[in-house]
Amino acid sequence: TASVDIKDLFLLKTATAYFSKRNYPKVQELLHAVKNQDALSMEAAILYAKLLINSQDFYNGLRAAYNVRNNFYHEHTAHELFIALSLKVQKNDEELYPENVHQDTVVYAENDEHHETIFLLSGEPSPDPVTVLHSDDELAKHLVGKSISDKIVLTNKFSITQHLTITKIISKYTYAFHQSMNLLDTKFSGQTSFAVIHTGENPMENLVKAVRQMSQKAIDLDKRIAELYKKRIMPIGVMAGLYKTNIVKQWCNLVNSNEISLFSYAYNELPNITDAITAERPLILDIIALITLFLVYPERHLLDHIKNRLVTAQSTIDELQFFLDEMKEYEEDGLSGIGIEEGLLVRFDSRKEDI
């Protein structure tokens, strides 16, 4: 296995920063400079593929997701990623099911005894149950350009003739998608957030049953998460991760929830914050504190009073960008919420002008 190039990791980190600024051309430029994607860890390789897709470089993003799937074939996360990103890429029927055989297609062929063999025309090995053909293989040369129902006659060095009939042609990405779905239903069953529904003879009845089971599991999970949060065992960041959202949206969900309260400090921190700013002492604010202060602190320009140097993390900048995007939804009508202050239930309002 090749060692990771530090420069590649730096390019990935820098691309993440530019992505938070919505500079997609720069993101693509940096990611295209990554030399060895195969040497990246699964987490880094997943980030690489996601950044390509989300910056609108669909072709390279899908190819990167395909490589992640193959390199980490025995990890269900790799298959989930490939399926999710494949669904983001809009492809026409010709791309999914090409009329003619070419490089990067999967060909189904039957012999005279109706025994089926699946061929992948690719220069790279595959973990899937296929026979890989390289471009210089004799059979590959016969297959290229052929269509469904075309017949191929092969004669080996012992003068034994074999007849093959092409029955199906699909993209290698389409084939991988089907194989990954099958693995999530079999090898990784119960380990992922995906649910594969088999319709059978009573499709509607089976679909309703499956949806009910999924809904009950979701309700049970919600109750367990709420219980852990109320006991202050689970922080809001972990909760956001479980719901596959960002911490800002999770914060807004808690503010508007009738069943669970948003925990904050046990006493009023504002005087201490004011004293620290006035005395120009070091002050550390987490993302939740920044958002809360924006909504409830009477002085909306708090940070303008900080004269000494500000130090922040890229993750905080990313979350604040999420917060800005979230607030744009309230530009017309403003935002209202309910909280507890000194034991009393109070309402706070942010006017559209403040937003």
Side-chain angles (χ1 to χ4, degrees):
T1 304
S3 60
V4 181
D5 190 335
I6 298 299
K7 183 179 179 181
D8 285 348
L9 295 179
F10 177 77
L11 288 168
L12 193 58
K13 279 286 187 183
T14 309
T16 304
Y18 275 100
F19 181 79
S20 68
K21 299 176 181 178
R22 308 300 194 267
N23 189 341
Y24 298 152
K26 188 64 177 179
V27 172
Q28 294 178 20
E29 177 188 338
L30 291 165
L31 294 178
H32 292 168
V34 173
K35 292 183 178 179
N36 193 357
Q37 179 203 346
D38 291 338
L40 297 174
S41 66
M42 183 172 70
E43 292 74 16
I46 286 175
L47 176 60
Y48 175 80
K50 284 183 175 179
L51 287 173
L52 282 169
I53 293 286
N54 293 331
S55 63
Q56 314 301 313
D57 188 353
F58 297 119
Y59 174 77
N60 288 312
L62 184 59
R63 185 172 60 178
Y66 179 82
N67 290 338
V68 174
R69 170 194 181 273
N70 290 354
N71 292 339
F72 301 95
Y73 193 78
H74 298 293
E75 300 287 342
H76 67 81
T77 304
H79 293 276
E80 287 184 285
L81 165 87
F82 177 70
I83 291 172
L85 293 187
S86 294
L87 294 173
K88 279 190 172 184
V89 179
Q90 298 294 326
K91 284 185 167 290
N92 55 42
D93 291 342
E94 172 59 26
E95 292 174 304
L96 296 173
Y97 303 97
E99 293 184 1
N100 305 103
V101 178
H102 55 74
Q103 190 73 2
D104 292 337
T105 54
V106 172
V107 182
Y108 293 70
E110 289 185 356
N111 60 15
D112 292 334
E113 287 75 35
H114 301 290
H115 174 73
E116 184 180 70
T117 306
I118 304 174
F119 301 100
L120 167 62
L121 277 72
S122 173
E124 302 172 353
S126 171
D128 289 312
V130 294
T131 300
V132 177
L133 298 177
H134 298 275
S135 58
D136 55 350
D137 289 338
E138 194 63 31
L139 179 54
K141 295 177 181 177
H142 281 83
L143 286 172
V144 170
K146 294 294 191 294
S147 305
I148 293 177
S149 298
D150 283 352
K151 297 182 182 297
I152 298 171
V153 180
L154 298 174
T155 304
N156 62 20
K157 60 183 180 180
F158 302 106
S159 299
I160 297 175
T161 301
Q162 182 182 20
H163 297 82
L164 293 177
T165 303
I166 298 176
T167 59
K168 186 177 181 180
I169 305 171
I170 62 176
S171 160
K172 72 175 184 179
Y173 299 119
T174 307
Y175 178 79
F177 183 92
H178 293 162
Q179 289 298 311
S180 290
M181 287 295 294
N182 182 58
L183 287 171
L184 294 185
D185 185 34
T186 54
K187 181 178 180 178
F188 303 119
S189 178
Q191 301 179 39
T192 75
S193 58
F194 282 77
V196 180
I197 300 173
H198 299 276
T199 55
E201 296 180 358
N202 302 302
M204 187 53 65
E205 180 181 338
N206 292 334
L207 178 61
V208 171
K209 181 179 179 181
V211 170
R212 283 177 177 171
Q213 291 175 344
M214 292 167 59
S215 299
Q216 186 58 50
K217 287 182 180 179
I219 292 171
D220 294 340
L221 177 62
D222 288 344
K223 289 181 178 179
R224 181 61 178 155
I225 291 175
E227 179 182 346
L228 291 174
Y229 181 74
K230 288 177 181 178
K231 291 180 179 179
R232 304 198 180 193
I233 297 174
M234 178 183 294
I236 190 172
V238 175
M239 180 184 283
L242 288 172
Y243 284 118
K244 292 182 172 57
T245 185
N246 62 69
I247 198 171
V248 175
K249 289 182 179 292
Q250 188 59 47
W251 186 92
C252 291
N253 291 337
L254 291 178
V255 168
N256 293 289
S257 173
N258 295 323
E259 299 180 356
I260 184 170
S261 301
L262 179 67
F263 285 111
S264 186
Y265 298 105
Y267 60 92
N268 189 353
E269 292 276 2
L270 294 181
N272 293 337
I273 293 174
T274 303
D275 292 343
I277 292 176
T278 303
E280 298 186 11
R281 293 197 302 271
L283 181 65
I284 299 175
L285 299 175
D286 68 4
I287 182 65
I288 295 299
L290 285 172
I291 296 171
T292 306
L293 287 170
F294 169 78
L295 290 173
V296 303
Y297 194 56
E299 174 53 72
R300 295 305 175 95
H301 303 286
L302 172 70
L303 298 182
D304 292 346
H305 299 288
I306 300 179
K307 297 179 181 179
N308 52 353
R309 187 168 58 120
L310 288 176
V311 179
T312 185
Q314 181 60 49
S315 59
T316 301
I317 298 298
D318 294 341
E319 299 295 355
L320 287 174
Q321 182 63 53
F322 281 130
F323 181 56
L324 176 62
D325 295 341
E326 190 74 12
M327 287 298 101
K328 287 180 180 178
E329 298 182 13
Y330 303 99
E331 285 179 326
E332 295 299 323
D333 303 317
L335 173 66
S336 296
I338 296 176
I340 297 179
E341 184 176 315
E342 297 180 358
L344 298 177
L345 190 66
V346 297
R347 169 177 172 161
F348 63 86
D349 295 288
S350 294
R351 302 171 303 167
K352 62 181 183 180
E353 292 81 7
D354 297 324
I355 299 294

